[in-house]
């Protein structure tokens, strides 16, 4: 029994050392950031991105599930109903205000997991450091993906002029 344990440990050490030896002979790769582009793993959790659907509508339907799941309480949302004249998302509601306070965000990804429409995802943006903490509150406009060519812009009713009305 003891000999088996010793052999098992020796095999584990040999396996570990073989990886170390193999890596020693690989070429050294030095990231050239900030002079060159930074490389990321696909799963890297950076600044959030608010997604659109294939029609250009915002995927966020203002359900507040991300805000409820956030352990840092750093998501602030205000919701409004879509109407015939103003349609921003594919659901009943959309977010008129969607802020994330990056002073508090811990990039845990709970908001992404909670979202039922895949509206919020992590992008690869990482250059968020600032001496002015007020710049770390990102608004919907800072995170929403731009419309792609060919996508129809969401329908937004023109504001009614103040002089218009029943006279
Ligand atoms: S990543 Fe985590 S801390 Fe940041 S907004 Fe999402 S749930 Fe909150
Ligand atoms: S981002 Fe997702 S979870 Fe958050 S309010 Fe919008 S639809 Fe709901």
């Amino acid at each position: 029994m003891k000999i088996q344990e010793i052999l098992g440990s020796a095999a584990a050490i040999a396996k570990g050392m073989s990886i170390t030896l193999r890596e020693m002979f690989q070429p050294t790769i030095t990231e050239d950031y900030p002079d060159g582009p930074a490389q990321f793993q696909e799963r890297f959790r950076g600044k959030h991105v608010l997604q659109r659907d294939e029609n250009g509508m915002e995927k966020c339907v203002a359900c507040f599930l991300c805000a409820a799941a956030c352990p840092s309480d750093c998501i602030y949302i205000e919701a409004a109903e879509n109407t015939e004249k103003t349609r921003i998302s594919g659901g009943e509601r959309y977010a008129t205000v969607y802020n994330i306070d990056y002073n508090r965000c811990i990039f845990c990804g709970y908001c992404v997991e909670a979202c039922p429409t895949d509206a919020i995802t992590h992008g690869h943006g990482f250059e968020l450091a600032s001496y002015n903490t007020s710049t770390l509150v990102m608004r919907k406009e800072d995170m929403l993906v731009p419309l792609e060519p060919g996508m129809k812009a969401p329908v937004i009713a023109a504001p009614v002029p103040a002089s218009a009305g029943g006279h």
Side-chain angles (χ1 to χ4, degrees):
M1 189 66 180
K2 287 242 179 213
I3 290 177
Q4 276 180 339
E5 280 177 19
I6 291 167
L7 287 177
S9 300
I13 291 168
K15 190 177 173 190
M17 291 308 290
S18 72
I19 294 169
T20 305
L21 278 172
R22 198 168 62 232
E23 289 300 319
M24 277 172 66
F25 296 105
Q26 296 295 320
T28 304
I29 300 168
T30 306
E31 297 280 344
D32 209 15
Y33 179 82
D35 297 323
Q39 307 289 327
F40 294 99
Q41 292 296 319
E42 224 11 74
R43 63 179 182 271
F44 174 77
R45 295 182 194 149
K47 183 184 153 195
H48 296 83
V49 179
L50 289 170
Q51 304 288 345
R52 293 181 186 275
D53 65 18
E54 61 280 6
N55 298 315
M57 295 285 169
E58 293 176 17
K59 281 189 171 181
C60 177
V61 293
C63 67
F64 289 77
L65 287 177
C66 53
C70 178
S72 308
D73 198 19
C74 62
I75 301 178
Y76 176 79
I77 302 168
E78 289 179 13
E81 300 281 332
N82 284 303
T83 64
E84 274 182 32
K85 288 187 178 164
T86 301
R87 174 152 288 281
I88 305 296
S89 78
E92 285 181 17
R93 300 196 301 175
Y94 68 98
T96 52
V97 176
Y98 193 108
N99 294 347
I100 295 183
D101 184 350
Y102 284 99
N103 292 290
R104 300 165 69 171
C105 176
I106 55 171
F107 296 89
C108 62
Y110 286 3
C111 52
V112 175
E113 284 177 33
C115 181
T117 62
D118 294 332
I120 185 162
T121 59
H122 279 290
H124 286 174
F126 69 102
E127 291 168 314
L128 294 167
S130 170
Y131 286 114
N132 181 356
T133 53
S134 67
T135 63
L136 292 176
V137 180
M138 299 281 169
R139 299 174 307 141
K140 180 170 100 170
E141 293 74 12
D142 301 318
M143 297 180 280
L144 189 61
V145 291
L147 281 167
E148 284 177 20
M151 282 181 170
K152 272 195 267 171
V155 183
I156 303 172
V160 179
S163 58
H167 288 294

